[in-house]
């Protein structure tokens, strides 16, 4: 439906009055994206070190774990460069129609893994516990 | 494609945390781990039998992959001698467990309870600090039996583990038999006794936790000092200390408190 609308609206903060205006803004956003693709939603390295936190006297294992985090912009068109839910694409379009009230999709984990932690408690008993959703496996736009 | 890993970018700014930031970080990670404060174990040695057993469990899980739910796909290492290794039975307990906990013996080391003609040994474990929403799915009492050269190899004994029902009594009526085993004098390795029902009772009613007693008898019913046949109690080597292990299954979704 974007074909035939070649005009540009450089004022992105101005609220589009019609869906056609919104699509013009979307096209402009896509153009901006193509100039800076590194801003896309990506998984980034983050290691949580129990050793650096000074906890090696009570955490037996692991020394730490690669938690990762998600960062980047969820900009139109989402499916051109990253994982995105189908609804995130709709969310983007509605954001263009109402940019002040409807937020963009969020860059967030789409898959998470668990870890196990082995540690002493105050009584020198030992606990092996499974923690779910601790490690980012994939990021995407929601 | 949701099944593939995203490309990982390393853009995190590496810098030293200020003291305040470090404290905040510690507080947040403790919250994620569900702990109200940093544990401060009084006597923490990783060379004791219980931590070594737990580390074996941890390594087994880590070797065979971190699974999103439960401790599934766990392959056990089976041996009874030396440091406490994981048995096939532990494997099935592990598959269903959300948490495993070992307990140190807080009873007086090598305390002998002399009642009538017996030489029972007492063991106590504090189960009062189990996190809420965790139910015991299995529990074991583990004690190491060493090889004793002085006894005839063909000699056999009954090892019995009892739950103590009353604090003081001169008769044996205050004991409830939990599990029993026949051992050879030449036998060496870990003896494992099922104490699941008792552990559940102790978790629900901590006042009833009066500990366990271990008794040893020759085949003709004579009470025998456990030490004389190689049963290692509190004064044995660190990696052969008796301990208790319990497997827990979460009964409710745990929510972090709002701060």
């Amino acid at each position: 439906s974007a074909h035939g609308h070649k005009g540009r609206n450089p004022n992105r903060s101005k609220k589009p009055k019609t869906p056609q205006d919104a699509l013009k803004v979307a096209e402009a956003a896509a153009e901006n994206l193509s100039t800076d693709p590194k801003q896309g939603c990506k998984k980034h390295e983050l290691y949580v070190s129990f050793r650096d936190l000074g906890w090696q006297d009570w955490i037996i294992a692991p020394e730490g774990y690669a938690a990762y985090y998600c960062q980047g912009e969820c900009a139109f068109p989402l499916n051109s460069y990253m994982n995105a839910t189908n609804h995130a694409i709709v969310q983007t379009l509605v954001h263009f129609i109402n940019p002040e009230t409807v937020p963009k999709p969020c860059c967030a984990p789409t898959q998470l893994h668990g870890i196990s932690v082995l540690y002493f408690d105050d009584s020198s008993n030992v606990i092996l516990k499974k923690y779910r959703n601790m490690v980012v496996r994939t990021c995407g736009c929601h | 494609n949701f099944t593939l890993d995203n490309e990982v970018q390393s853009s995190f700014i590496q810098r030293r945390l200020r003291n305040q930031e470090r404290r905040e970080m510690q507080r947040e990670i403790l919250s994620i781990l569900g702990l109200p404060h940093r544990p401060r174990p009084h006597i923490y040695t990783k060379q004791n039998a219980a931590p070594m057993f737990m580390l074996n469990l941890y390594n087994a899980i880590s070797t065979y992959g971190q699974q999103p739910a439960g401790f599934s796909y766990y392959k056990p290492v089976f041996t009874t001698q030396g440091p406490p290794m994981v048995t096939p039975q532990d494997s099935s307990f592990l598959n269903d467990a959300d948490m495993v906990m070992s307990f140190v013996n807080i009873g007086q080391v090598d305390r002998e309870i002399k009642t009538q003609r017996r030489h029972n040994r007492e063991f106590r474990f504090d189960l009062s600090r189990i996190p809420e929403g965790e139910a015991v799915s299995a529990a074991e009492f583990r004690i190491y039996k060493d090889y004793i050269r002085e006894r005839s190899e063909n000699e056999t004994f009954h090892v019995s583990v009892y739950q103590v029902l009353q604090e003081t009594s001169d008769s044996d009526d205050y004991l409830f038999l939990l599990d029993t085993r026949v051992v050879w004098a030449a036998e060496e390795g870990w003896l494992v006794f099922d104490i699941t029902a008792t552990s559940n009772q102790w978790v629900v009613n901590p006042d009833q936790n009066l500990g366990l007693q271990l008794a040893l008898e020759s085949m003709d019913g004579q009470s025998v000092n456990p030490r004389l046949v190689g049963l290692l109690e509190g004064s044995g080597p660190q990696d052969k200390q008796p301990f208790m292990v319990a497997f827990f299954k979460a009964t409710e979704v745990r929510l972090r408190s709002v701060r």
Side-chain angles (χ1 to χ4, degrees), chain A residues 67-102:
Chain A
Y68 300 106
Y69 69 101
C70 300
Q71 189 188 36
E73 195 181 356
C74 289
F76 184 86
L78 294 182
N79 56 359
S80 65
Y81 64 99
M82 69 182 81
N83 289 339
T85 60
N86 284 339
H87 189 269
I89 296 166
V90 177
Q91 180 84 26
T92 310
L93 294 175
V94 181
H95 164 74
F96 284 129
I97 296 167
N98 289 301
E100 288 163 14
T101 53
V102 179

Side-chain angles (χ1 to χ4, degrees), chain A residues 43 52-53 122 130 139, chain B residues 6 9 22 26 40 67:
Chain A
K43 189 167 89 168
D52 289 349
L53 290 169
D122 286 323
K130 172 84 179 177
C139 295
Chain B
N6 296 77
Q9 289 203 344
R22 184 183 155 97
Q26 287 175 331
R40 296 195 180 276
Q67 300 303 318

Side-chain angles (χ1 to χ4, degrees), chain B residues 120-139:
Chain B
N120 293 6
R121 288 295 194 280
E122 184 190 55
F123 301 90
R124 283 188 181 236
F125 305 98
D126 181 8
L127 276 69
S128 64
R129 295 183 189 179
I130 308 298
E132 278 183 34
E134 300 281 353
V136 178
S137 55

